[in-house]
Amino acid sequence: MLAMFKKRDAAPVASQTGASAQADTASSDAGVHTLAQTLQRDTSGLGLEAAQLRGTLEDSAAAAERQVGALSELVHHAQQIGQAQQHIHSESQLSQQALQRARDSVEHVGSEVTGVVSTLHQVSEAARQITQVALQTRLVAFNASVEAKRAGDAGLGFGVVADAVKDLSTQVESISKAIMGTVATLDQRIQSLAADLSTTSDGQVRGKGHKDSKDSKDQQDDGHRVHQALLGVEAAVQRIVSAAESSAQLSSGINQQVNRMAQEVQQTRDMLGTATRRSEVVLGVSERLMELIATCGVETSDTPYIHMAQQVAGQIAQALGDALAQGRIAQAQLFDEHYQALSGSQPPQHTSAFNALSDALFPGFQEAALKALPQVVFCIAADRNGYISTHNRAYCQPQRPGDVVWNTAHSRWRRIFNDRTGLASARNTRPFLLQTYRRDMGGGNFVLLKEASAPIEVAGRHWGGLRLAYRF
């Protein structure tokens, strides 16, 4: 009887214990689910912040890189300016020296001209003496001619000679007078030149000049102006030399400052590069956490997008495999990596051997995925190098020549996206990959996106990946 009672009593206890355990399990599952969702939201937020931080650091690093280039050019120009200033300084000093030599030469020429004047006086005196001799010779010849006529026939020959001597003396006298006149004119001009070139600092004229006081004063004034002009030019050249020296010193200071700025900007760029790499580590940690949460069996906000990426990847892989089996494309063409650049395209576009097949197969799968879930921005298949043969129709617009901003946003097909996100999605071989990044829309416009990707395998080979990007 007691045993039966105990048995009956134990049954309700066991029943209560089982119910309690189930309740605890349910409660535990609910707690895990809630924790997973909380972690998913937190890691998603962390990924968002990390992506924004990384983008900001990339922008800052790019700006620093441009500054480094600009400062390098500035350093080069500053060096050229310094060299030009040094050249100006050297040339100015040479000009100053040449001007000093010119002034000395002018003084020397003035002295030499005085000697020339003296020589000309000697020439004039010689000509005057020749004239006197010619007069005397003519007088003697005249007397000889008279005597020859008195001698009659015996003096005829002597008379002819006397007449010839008389004619020759007349010519000599005429020539001597002409020489004296020319020398007198030359003497006046040279004396004037000597006065201009030989003026001393007190305005006195060296050498022999005209006795007339007015002419002497005029010569002194002219000579004074010549020397004043030379002194003025010399003073101006000296100012140029001084200015060139000051400019060279200033250029040297600017060069030093610009070099310091270039070094500081270089250090800033290096530090930004280090910060970017560290932010990438943070971004990678948040992405791995999102993946771990998504693989723990708990439904998160990313789960539908992961499933969609895997689904479309499978569909495209199947379609490509069928095309291979049907002979629509050769395996070498499907895995072609010899991209041909399209001339004149900006950003650069390329063609590949599988363009026609991707244009025929991909749009049906990719366009359907755009409408299957909310917030989807694009759904594209990329080969393992990040090459997008066929994009969504909205982004397969022909390029507009010269309009890079518009092309970047609207003509995204036939392009290679081999950035961090693009290559990671294209070369991922795990069941899926979650990434957070900024999408460059051109013109400095960026969109923060999350991307789920899944590998595409064809004929046992990894062809690429399916990229499904969405806002969050």
Side-chain angles (χ1 to χ4, degrees), residues 95-354:
S95 298
Q96 188 180 33
Q97 295 169 4
L99 187 59
Q100 181 62 44
R101 290 195 301 270
R103 202 154 61 88
D104 294 341
S105 297
V106 167
E107 292 288 346
H108 178 70
V109 168
S111 301
E112 292 297 324
V113 167
T114 302
V116 171
V117 170
S118 176
T119 302
L120 287 176
H121 287 167
Q122 294 175 3
V123 171
S124 179
E125 180 62 23
R128 188 183 64 78
Q129 292 177 1
I130 290 172
T131 301
Q132 293 297 326
V133 172
L135 287 173
Q136 294 175 0
T137 302
R138 188 171 61 181
L139 181 59
V140 171
F142 175 77
N143 293 331
S145 176
V146 171
E147 293 298 329
K149 288 181 180 179
R150 287 179 181 176
D153 293 337
L156 288 177
F158 184 76
V160 172
V161 173
D163 290 340
V165 170
K166 183 178 66 173
D167 293 339
L168 180 60
S169 64
T170 301
Q171 293 178 6
V172 169
E173 180 185 5
S174 177
I175 292 172
S176 296
K177 289 181 179 180
I179 290 174
M180 290 175 64
T182 302
V183 169
T185 302
L186 184 59
D187 177 47
Q188 292 178 357
R189 293 180 179 178
I190 290 180
Q191 285 194 60
S192 176
L193 175 62
D196 289 342
L197 297 179
S198 303
T199 302
T200 60
S201 59
D202 60 356
Q204 299 301 316
V205 179
R206 293 196 298 269
K208 296 181 179 180
H210 292 289
K211 300 301 182 180
D212 184 79
S213 60
K214 183 178 183 301
D215 292 342
S216 178
K217 185 176 184 305
D218 291 342
Q219 291 171 3
Q220 291 177 10
D221 292 340
D222 291 342
H224 184 67
R225 283 193 294 269
V226 170
H227 280 265
Q228 286 296 322
L230 288 174
L231 290 172
V233 173
E234 188 174 5
V237 172
Q238 178 58 46
R239 289 194 295 272
I240 293 174
V241 171
S242 300
E245 290 176 350
S246 300
S247 181
Q249 293 175 356
L250 180 61
S251 295
S252 177
I254 292 174
N255 277 335
Q256 293 175 0
Q257 292 178 356
V258 171
N259 282 322
R260 283 196 297 270
M261 290 173 60
Q263 292 173 358
E264 291 173 357
V265 172
Q266 180 73 37
Q267 292 174 353
T268 301
R269 184 191 66 176
D270 294 341
M271 289 187 291
L272 285 171
T274 302
T276 301
R277 289 190 293 272
R278 290 178 177 174
S279 72
E280 188 169 338
V281 173
V282 175
L283 184 58
V285 170
S286 69
E287 291 172 348
R288 284 194 296 274
L289 285 173
M290 286 189 293
E291 286 185 38
L292 288 172
I293 295 169
T295 55
C296 72
V298 178
E299 187 82 11
T300 68
S301 61
D302 296 320
T303 302
Y305 298 97
I306 295 172
H307 291 166
M308 178 61 66
Q310 292 173 328
Q311 177 184 338
V312 178
Q315 292 172 340
I316 289 180
Q318 181 64 44
L320 292 176
D322 293 343
L324 273 177
Q326 296 165 7
R328 295 176 62 183
I329 192 171
Q331 193 169 32
Q333 292 175 312
L334 181 60
F335 289 88
D336 175 37
E337 295 183 355
H338 298 89
Y339 314 111
Q340 303 297 317
L342 285 174
S343 178
S345 58
Q346 190 63 29
Q349 291 180 301
H350 300 79
T351 59
S352 178
F354 55 83

Side-chain angles (χ1 to χ4, degrees), residues 339-342 345-352 354-355 380-383 385-391 395-397 399 403-419 422 439-442 467:
Y339 314 111
Q340 303 297 317
L342 285 174
S345 58
Q346 190 63 29
Q349 291 180 301
H350 300 79
T351 59
S352 178
F354 55 83
N355 287 151
I380 52 176
D383 77 355
N385 295 315
Y387 175 64
I388 307 298
S389 175
T390 306
H391 212 292
Y395 304 110
C396 288
Q397 304 297 321
Q399 287 198 359
D403 196 344
V404 179
V405 174
W406 191 92
N407 296 341
T408 300
H410 299 89
S411 186
R412 304 179 74 86
W413 61 327
R414 304 291 200 262
R415 288 174 55 189
I416 299 174
F417 293 91
N418 55 2
D419 55 289
R439 186 192 192 199
D440 183 7
M441 300 302 295
R467 302 178 58 183

